[in-house]
């Protein structure tokens, strides 16, 4: 394809992805950079370059390109996920910023790791071949390797065992490739992965994590209920803030960790334990929804609903029904969304809450081509919005009524309602809404 259309940026990125899957990071990076030379604002090129740098263990530069991509396309969640994993890998390597103390004794300078790696490559080329091979085959302790490689450790041990079979090593495959080269290539690849995984999460970081976890457990046992309540409140704020900033994955992980801790505490230590468990299921469900994990989100919100009903928590039940309805609507199961939201109607406390609830139900009926019921819910939504004096929901409700009237072929009424909606859009003000209504 590239012979037919030299420098096609989409084709370069596809080939770069293939090189990365094969572990050929050098060629993967070349193709990603070539696509950016053609178009420096090509977001797929920025993402692929960041992914390749991350795979090379160059986490700082990967982070730079994830940020550049997010600035160009803030709507794409994969750039935020990339930022999160690169930041986490950096912290795993150097520790949390709060635990690191820098002493400026001499002049500090910033050196690109890519430049350093080029120097290393030049040194490697100047070394004798046997010396290079010895360094490549240099072993870490079996226990360390086993921790880093996991299930792949057995494969490495098998390949090293094959090296001792001299007759096999001298033989060749049907394609004329030496078996020894294949075996050495496999061991070299596993060594590279081992070094990468050690850099991403070194052994000392794993040991440190376990130590911190033990200390936290011991600390938790000594905490007073008032201290526990303050700590939980702070964690809940952080979880909500992370989700609001778009860090859904990080928010979900923190919520899951806190949920395990709360489940381990007694009701004497945490008097509102059941309420907090429900809240955390709700946070986890919202984070999973943001990450596109619909089935998981549905499970989490149902756990929140069960918890609310078992403990007679009306507000929590209302929240859970609202969230379950949203998930159903997102996956196109409009009838299930309607059933869930209609169950919530008696629990709605304010006119504003009723305004958006009636609007959402009406929107689902419109999707199901039941325009008459959609119009009825639109008018109920408008009535609630009028009671509250909320112009924005008056606008949404009026548009819904007009759209239902179009489907019912009541064109004169639809025009009148669209004109009313246009006046509301000017008050909000929303240029996009005005343009949509005029169209």
């Amino acid at each position: 394809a590239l012979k037919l259309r030299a420098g096609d940026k989409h084709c370069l990125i596809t080939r770069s992805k293939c090189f990365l899957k094969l572990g050929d990071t050098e060629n993967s990076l070349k193709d990603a950079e070539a696509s950016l030379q053609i178009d420096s604002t090509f977001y797929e090129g920025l993402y692929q370059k960041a992914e390749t740098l991350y795979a090379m263990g160059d986490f700082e530069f990967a982070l730079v390109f994830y940020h550049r991509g997010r600035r160009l396309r803030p709507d794409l969640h994969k750039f935020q996920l990339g930022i999160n994993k690169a930041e986490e890998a950096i912290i795993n390597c150097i520790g949390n910023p709060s635990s690191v103390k820098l002493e400026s004794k001499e002049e500090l300078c910033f050196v690109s790791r890519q430049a350093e790696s080029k120097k290393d490559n030049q040194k490697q080329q100047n070394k004798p071949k046997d010396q290079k091979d010895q360094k490549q085959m240099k072993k870490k302790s079996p226990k360390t390797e086993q921790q880093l490689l996991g299930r792949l450790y057995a494969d490495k041990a098998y390949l090293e065992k094959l090296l001792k079979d001299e007759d096999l090593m001298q033989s060749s495959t049907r394609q004329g490739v030496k078996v020894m080269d294949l075996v050495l290539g496999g061991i070299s690849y596993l060594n590279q992965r081992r070094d990468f995984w050690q850099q991403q999460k070194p052994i000392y970081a794993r040991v440190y994590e376990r130590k911190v976890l033990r200390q936290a457990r011991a600390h938790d046992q000594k905490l007073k209920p008032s201290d526990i309540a303050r700590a939980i409140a702070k964690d809940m704020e952080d979880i909500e803030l992370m989700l609001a900033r778009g860090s859904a994955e990080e928010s979900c992980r923190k919520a899951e960790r806190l949920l395990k801790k709360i489940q381990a505490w007694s009701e004497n230590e945490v008097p509102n334990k059941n309420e907090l468990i429900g809240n955390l299921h709700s946070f986890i469900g919202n984070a999973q929804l943001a990450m596109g994990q619909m089935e998981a989100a549905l499970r989490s919100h149902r756990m929140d609903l069960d918890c609310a009903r078992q403990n007679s928590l009306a507000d929590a039940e209302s929240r859970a029904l609202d969230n379950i309805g949203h998930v159903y609507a997102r996956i196109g199961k409009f009838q299930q969304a309607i059933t869930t939201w209609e169950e919530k109607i008696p629990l709605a406390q304010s006119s504003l809450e009723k305004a958006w609830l009636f609007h959402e139900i009406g929107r689902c009926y419109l999707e199901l081509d039941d325009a008459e019921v959609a119009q009825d819910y639109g008018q109920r939504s408008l009535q609630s919005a009028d009671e509250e004096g909320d112009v924005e929901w008056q606008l949404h409700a009026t548009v819904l009524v007009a759209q239902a009237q179009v489907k019912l072929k009541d064109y004169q009424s639809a025009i009148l309602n669209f004109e009313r909606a246009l006046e509301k859009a000017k008050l909000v003000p929303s240029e996009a809404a005005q343009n949509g209504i005029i169209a």
Side-chain angles (χ1 to χ4, degrees), residues 77 81 84 243 247-253 256 281-302 323-324 326-328 330-331:
H77 190 55
L81 292 179
N84 293 347
L243 192 56
S247 304
E249 195 176 357
E250 200 179 345
S251 172
C252 189
R253 278 201 302 271
E256 284 169 345
H281 282 307
S282 179
F283 281 136
I284 291 165
N286 287 332
Q288 288 164 336
L289 181 65
M291 292 187 283
Q293 298 169 6
M294 301 304 180
E295 288 301 319
L298 208 51
R299 282 195 299 274
S300 295
H301 289 311
R302 279 179 181 150
N323 287 326
I324 291 167
H326 274 299
V327 178
Y328 276 134
R330 280 278 293 274
I331 59 178

Side-chain angles (χ1 to χ4, degrees), residues 224-243:
K224 294 175 185 176
S226 58
D227 294 331
I228 291 172
R230 275 196 294 274
I232 290 171
K234 174 70 172 67
D235 283 344
M236 295 289 262
E237 278 177 23
D238 290 345
I239 290 161
E240 198 169 0
L241 194 61
M242 284 172 194
L243 192 56

Side-chain angles (χ1 to χ4, degrees), residues 22-26 55 121 124 129 132-140 145 149 152-153 155-160 163 179-197:
L22 291 167
D24 186 352
T25 50
E26 192 178 336
N121 288 340
Q124 287 290 336
K129 193 176 185 300
K132 189 178 176 182
D133 287 343
Q134 279 176 4
K135 190 173 181 184
Q136 200 173 42
M137 301 302 290
K138 190 180 175 186
K139 282 189 175 184
K140 292 184 182 289
E145 277 205 320
L149 288 172
L152 291 175
Y153 179 73
D155 297 331
K156 187 165 184 281
Y158 175 71
L159 290 173
E160 286 173 344
L163 275 178
V179 173
M180 180 180 254
D181 292 339
L182 284 173
V183 172
L184 287 172
I187 293 170
S188 172
Y189 173 75
L190 289 170
N191 283 341
Q192 285 170 11
R193 299 319 295 164
R194 175 200 67 198
D195 295 341
F196 169 64
W197 286 325

Side-chain angles (χ1 to χ4, degrees), residues 170-348:
Q170 295 308 313
S171 63
S172 300
T173 64
R174 286 178 187 173
Q175 289 78 26
V177 181
K178 265 196 165 186
V179 173
M180 180 180 254
D181 292 339
L182 284 173
V183 172
L184 287 172
I187 293 170
S188 172
Y189 173 75
L190 289 170
N191 283 341
Q192 285 170 11
R193 299 319 295 164
R194 175 200 67 198
D195 295 341
F196 169 64
W197 286 325
Q198 178 158 25
Q199 190 177 22
Q200 191 182 16
K201 190 171 238 189
I203 296 296
Y204 69 79
R206 294 161 202 238
V207 172
Y208 177 72
E209 269 183 11
R210 286 197 292 272
K211 184 183 171 185
V212 167
L213 194 63
R214 282 197 299 271
Q215 287 173 347
R217 282 175 187 157
H219 180 62
D220 289 345
Q221 288 167 6
K222 295 171 188 174
L223 285 174
K224 294 175 185 176
S226 58
D227 294 331
I228 291 172
R230 275 196 294 274
I232 290 171
K234 174 70 172 67
D235 283 344
M236 295 289 262
E237 278 177 23
D238 290 345
I239 290 161
E240 198 169 0
L241 194 61
M242 284 172 194
L243 192 56
R245 285 175 176 168
S247 304
E249 195 176 357
E250 200 179 345
S251 172
C252 189
R253 278 201 302 271
K254 193 173 178 73
E256 284 169 345
R257 286 197 298 269
L258 183 58
L259 180 62
K260 283 179 185 174
K261 283 170 77 175
I262 289 172
Q263 285 168 336
W265 278 320
S266 68
E267 287 191 13
N268 290 333
E269 292 169 306
V270 186
N272 58 337
K273 180 178 175 177
N274 293 321
E275 191 178 341
L276 288 169
I277 287 171
N279 276 340
L280 286 166
H281 282 307
S282 179
F283 281 136
I284 291 165
N286 287 332
Q288 288 164 336
L289 181 65
M291 292 187 283
Q293 298 169 6
M294 301 304 180
E295 288 301 319
L298 208 51
R299 282 195 299 274
S300 295
H301 289 311
R302 279 179 181 150
M303 285 180 192
D304 181 23
L305 183 62
D306 291 342
C307 190
R309 283 176 173 167
Q310 284 164 17
N311 297 284
S312 305
L313 301 167
D315 288 348
E317 186 181 352
S318 179
R319 174 191 66 212
L321 288 168
D322 173 28
N323 287 326
I324 291 167
H326 274 299
V327 178
Y328 276 134
R330 280 278 293 274
I331 59 178
K333 292 186 176 180
F334 299 112
Q335 190 54 59
Q336 287 95 321
I338 288 166
T339 306
T340 307
W341 277 328
E342 284 181 340
E343 208 177 331
K344 175 186 159 72
I345 292 170
L347 300 168

